[in-house]
C-alpha cells in the first residue's frame, strides 16, 4: 500500500504573509488580547506578585477615601494612597490601557482609575486617556447596489438613515435605542445605555453617517433629523443643569470619566486653525464616545453644525470661568469643529459622484500631517488575500 503523501510545507513567502493577513483580518475585532498592555492582563500579572497584589488592594480601598469638595475640583487623594500608587510605578499596571469595544470594559476601566486615582482631566497629556485606540486605516466601504431604493431628492441625513436600515446590524441597534428612547417608554439610563451600544457596535461608516450627515442651512428638516439622531428628548435632561455639576456626575462614573479624558486628549486644539493634537478620526471617535454618558453633546440647532453640551454656566459664581472653559471645549473647539466639518464634506462627496460599480472603497485623508497619513506599503486585506491565493495555486 502506498504511503500517504506528506503535505508540503508552505513556502517562506506565504509564512511571512500569513501573520499580516490575520492581523488585517482582525482589525475590526478589538479584543483584550490585541491590546499592547490591557489593564486586565496587567492585573493578572500583578496578582502573581504578593507585593504588587497587596499594594493594588490597598489602592482599591482608597477609592472610598477620595472625594471632591466642589464640582470644579479634581479628586482629593490622601497622601498614603498617592504613595501606594508610586510603589506600582515599575509595574505593567502603570502603562495599561483599555478599548471601548473590548469585553469587560467596565472592569478594565475600574483597574485603570484605581491605579491612577489623581490623574488630572485638564492637563491634555497624551497618556491621560485610558484607551488604546489605534486608528485602523481601512477604506470606507459600503455596498451601494441598493442605492436605487433611496429617494433621489431626499436629504443626506435621510439617505444615511435608509442605508442604516438596509444594514441588518445597524438597523437592529438603531431600533433598540429607538424603542428605549421613545417618549412613552423613556427611561434615561436605559436610553443612554442603548445609545452607547449603538455607537460602540455599529460600523463607523454607518454610525458616523447618521450622526454627521451634512445639511444645507436652509434645509431645517434635514437639520432636525440630525439633531434627533441621539433622541435628545429622552437622552438629555429636560432642564439644563450647571455644566460643572454635570461634570461632577461624569467623573464619578469610571466610564464617563474615561470618555471625557479621551475627548480632552484627542480633541485638544493645537492652534486656532483647528489642528488636533492627534488625528481627526481619533477626535471624532472620542466625541462620539461621549454620546450616552452624562456629558452627551448634540447639535444646537437645525440650521448649522455647531455642537454643545446640554448645560448652562448660570449660577456658577466664582467658578464661572472654569465652567465656561468646560462648555467652550465643545462649543468653541476649533479641532472638533474642523473634524466634524471634514467628515461632513467627505459624506457629501460620497453622494455627489457617479459611481460606476455597485461597491466602492474610498480612503479618507484624515489629517494634513504627513506623519499621520496611511503608509503606502501597508497592504489591505484584499491584497493579502489575493496574493496568498495566487501563490498557493502556483505552489
Amino acid at each position: 500500500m502506498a504511503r500517504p503523501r506528506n503535505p508540503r510545507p508552505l513556502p517562506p513567502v506565504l509564512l511571512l504573509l500569513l501573520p499580516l493577513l490575520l492581523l488585517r483580518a482582525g482589525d475590526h475585532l478589538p479584543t483584550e488580547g490585541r491590546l499592547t498592555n490591557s489593564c486586565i492582563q496587567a492585573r493578572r500579572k500583578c496578582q502573581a506578585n504578593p507585593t504588587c497584589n497587596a499594594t493594588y488592594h490597598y489602592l482599591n480601598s482608597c477609592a472610598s477615601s477620595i472625594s471632591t469638595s466642589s464640582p470644579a475640583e479634581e479628586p482629593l487623594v490622601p497622601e498614603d494612597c498617592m504613595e501606594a500608587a508610586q510603589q506600582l510605578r515599575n509595574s505593567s499596571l502603570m502603562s495599561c490601557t483599555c478599548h471601548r469595544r473590548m469585553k469587560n470594559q467596565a472592569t478594565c476601566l475600574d483597574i485603570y482609575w484605581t491605579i491612577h486615582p489623581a490623574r488630572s482631566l485638564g492637563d491634555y497629556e497624551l497618556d491621560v486617556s485610558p484607551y488604546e485606540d489605534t486608528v485602523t486605516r481601512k477604506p470606507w466601504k459600503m455596498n451601494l447596489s441598493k442605492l436605487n431604493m433611496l429617494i433621489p431628492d431626499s436629504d443626506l441625513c435621510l439617505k444615511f438613515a435608509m442605508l442604516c436600515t438596509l444594514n441588518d446590524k445597524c438597523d437592529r441597534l438603531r431600533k433598540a435605542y429607538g424603542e428605549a428612547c421613545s417618549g412613552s417608554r423613556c427611561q434615561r439610563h436605559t436610553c443612554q445605555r442603548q445609545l452607547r451600544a449603538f455607537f460602540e457596535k455599529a460600523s463607523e461608516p454607518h454610525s458616523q453617517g447618521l450622526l454627521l450627515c451634512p445639511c444645507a442651512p436652509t434645509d431645517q428638516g434635514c437639520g432636525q433629523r440630525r439633531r434627533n439622531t441621539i433622541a435628545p428628548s429622552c437622552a438629555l435632561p429636560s432642564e439644563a443643569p450647571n455644566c460643572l455639576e454635570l461634570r461632577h456626575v461624569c467623573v464619578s462614573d469610571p466610564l464617563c470619566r474615561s470618555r471625557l479624558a479621551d475627548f480632552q486628549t484627542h480633541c485638544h486644539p493645537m492652534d486656532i486653525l483647528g489642528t488636533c493634537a492627534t488625528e481627526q478620526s481619533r477626535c471624532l471617535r472620542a466625541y462620539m464616545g461621549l454620546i450616552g454618558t452624562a456629558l452627551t453633546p448634540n447639535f444646537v440647532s437645525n440650521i448649522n453644525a455647531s455642537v454643545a453640551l446640554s448645560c448652562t454656566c448660570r449660577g456658577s459664581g466664582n467658578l464661572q470661568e472654569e465652567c465656561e472653559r468646560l462648555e467652550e471645549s465643545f462649543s468653541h473647539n476649533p479641532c472638533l469643529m474642523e473634524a466634524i466639518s471634514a467628515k461632513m464634506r467627505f459624506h457629501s462627496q460620497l453622494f455627489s459622484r457617479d459611481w460606476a460599480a455597485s461597491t466602492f472603497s474610498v480612503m479618507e485623508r484624515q489629517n494634513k500631517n504627513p506623519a499621520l497619513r496611511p503608509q503606502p506599503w501597508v497592504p489591505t486585506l484584499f491584497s493579502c488575500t489575493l496574493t496568498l491565493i495566487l501563490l498557493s495555486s502556483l505552489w
Side-chain angles (χ1 to χ4, degrees):
M1 181 180 295
R3 296 178 59 185
R5 188 179 175 185
N6 292 329
R8 301 181 69 178
L10 287 173
V13 66
L14 294 187
L15 294 176
L16 290 174
L17 278 172
L18 188 57
L20 185 56
L21 173 61
L22 294 177
L23 176 63
R24 296 294 300 175
D27 274 351
H28 66 290
L29 296 173
T31 59
E32 175 192 330
R34 288 189 60 241
L35 294 177
T36 301
N37 183 27
S38 162
C39 288
I40 296 178
Q41 294 173 334
R43 175 71 185 103
R44 292 183 187 134
K45 294 178 183 177
C46 180
Q47 287 176 320
N49 184 308
T51 302
C52 180
N53 194 37
T55 304
Y56 178 85
H57 278 295
Y58 185 81
L59 272 175
N60 199 31
S61 67
C62 285
S64 59
S65 305
I66 299 174
S67 61
T68 53
S69 57
S70 76
E73 294 183 2
E74 293 294 328
L76 302 176
V77 184
E79 185 176 350
D80 56 339
C81 295
M82 293 296 296
E83 292 176 356
Q86 283 297 312
Q87 292 177 18
L88 293 177
R89 62 184 178 275
N90 294 325
S91 165
S92 59
L93 281 167
M94 293 304 292
S95 59
C96 74
T97 54
C98 304
H99 197 291
R100 65 170 54 87
R101 294 192 180 199
M102 71 182 295
K103 293 181 179 179
N104 302 318
Q105 179 187 172
T107 301
C108 187
L109 294 175
D110 283 339
I111 296 171
Y112 179 90
W113 292 114
T114 295
I115 57 181
H116 297 293
R119 178 149 283 185
S120 173
L121 287 176
D123 292 339
Y124 301 110
E125 298 173 359
L126 293 183
D127 64 345
V128 166
S129 173
Y131 292 111
E132 177 192 323
D133 203 5
T134 303
V135 174
T136 55
R137 298 180 175 93
K138 297 185 297 183
W140 197 101
K141 294 182 178 179
M142 184 173 288
N143 189 338
L144 297 184
S145 61
K146 299 180 180 179
L147 271 185
N148 57 355
M149 300 174 61
L150 304 185
I151 303 173
D153 297 329
S154 59
D155 61 68
L156 294 189
C157 286
L158 181 57
K159 288 181 178 179
F160 273 109
M162 294 177 72
L163 285 175
C164 177
T165 302
L166 295 173
N167 179 271
D168 291 340
K169 186 175 184 180
C170 185
D171 186 48
R172 182 177 70 255
L173 292 168
R174 185 165 174 249
K175 285 180 178 177
Y177 85 73
E179 292 176 3
C181 301
S182 63
S184 59
R185 303 180 185 177
C186 172
Q187 292 185 349
R188 182 166 297 130
H189 180 74
T190 304
C191 173
Q192 291 178 340
R193 185 176 68 249
Q194 292 296 337
L195 272 173
R196 292 197 303 270
F198 175 80
F199 286 103
E200 287 179 2
K201 297 177 181 179
S203 68
E204 283 192 353
H206 285 107
S207 61
Q208 291 186 354
L210 274 175
L211 185 68
L212 304 176
C213 49
C215 297
T218 56
D219 192 345
Q220 294 202 31
C222 177
Q224 185 176 22
R225 265 187 286 276
R226 184 170 59 194
R227 287 187 69 204
N228 289 338
T229 298
I230 65 165
S233 60
C234 181
L236 303 180
S238 55
E239 295 185 6
N242 183 273
C243 293
L244 293 180
E245 294 177 356
L246 207 59
R247 186 181 70 172
H248 186 63
V249 173
C250 178
V251 299
S252 301
D253 172 53
L255 177 66
C256 187
R257 181 184 178 92
S258 301
R259 300 298 173 87
L260 178 58
D262 197 48
F263 174 80
Q264 292 184 330
T265 295
H266 296 302
C267 293
H268 175 48
M270 302 297 289
D271 53 46
I272 61 173
L273 300 177
T275 305
C276 298
T278 60
E279 293 186 349
Q280 287 182 348
S281 58
R282 291 177 183 266
C283 175
L284 288 180
R285 192 174 292 120
Y287 170 82
M288 294 172 70
L290 280 167
I291 296 175
T293 70
L295 286 179
T296 297
N298 197 20
F299 295 98
V300 298
S301 75
N302 298 336
I303 61 175
N304 59 47
S306 299
V307 299
L309 294 173
S310 296
C311 59
T312 178
C313 285
R314 291 192 299 270
S316 296
N318 59 354
L319 299 177
Q320 182 73 20
E321 184 177 344
E322 175 76 13
C323 184
E324 290 178 355
R325 188 157 50 245
L326 171 64
E327 195 276 331
E328 290 176 359
S329 67
F330 290 85
S331 62
H332 293 81
N333 184 328
C335 159
L336 176 62
M337 293 168 63
E338 177 56 29
I340 291 175
S341 297
K343 179 62 68 172
M344 288 185 173
R345 288 194 297 269
F346 173 70
H347 287 158
S348 180
Q349 292 170 4
L350 292 179
F351 289 93
S352 64
R353 303 183 184 185
D354 183 17
W355 301 100
S358 61
T359 303
F360 69 86
S361 175
V362 181
M363 179 66 78
E364 295 180 72
R365 292 178 61 186
Q366 297 287 2
N367 199 297
K368 295 180 181 180
N369 186 346
L372 297 176
R373 292 179 188 168
Q375 299 301 314
W377 54 266
V378 178
T380 64
L381 175 59
F382 174 77
S383 63
C384 283
T385 306
L386 182 60
T387 304
L388 196 56
I389 292 173
L390 290 174
L391 288 175
S392 297
S393 61
L394 290 174
W395 185 251

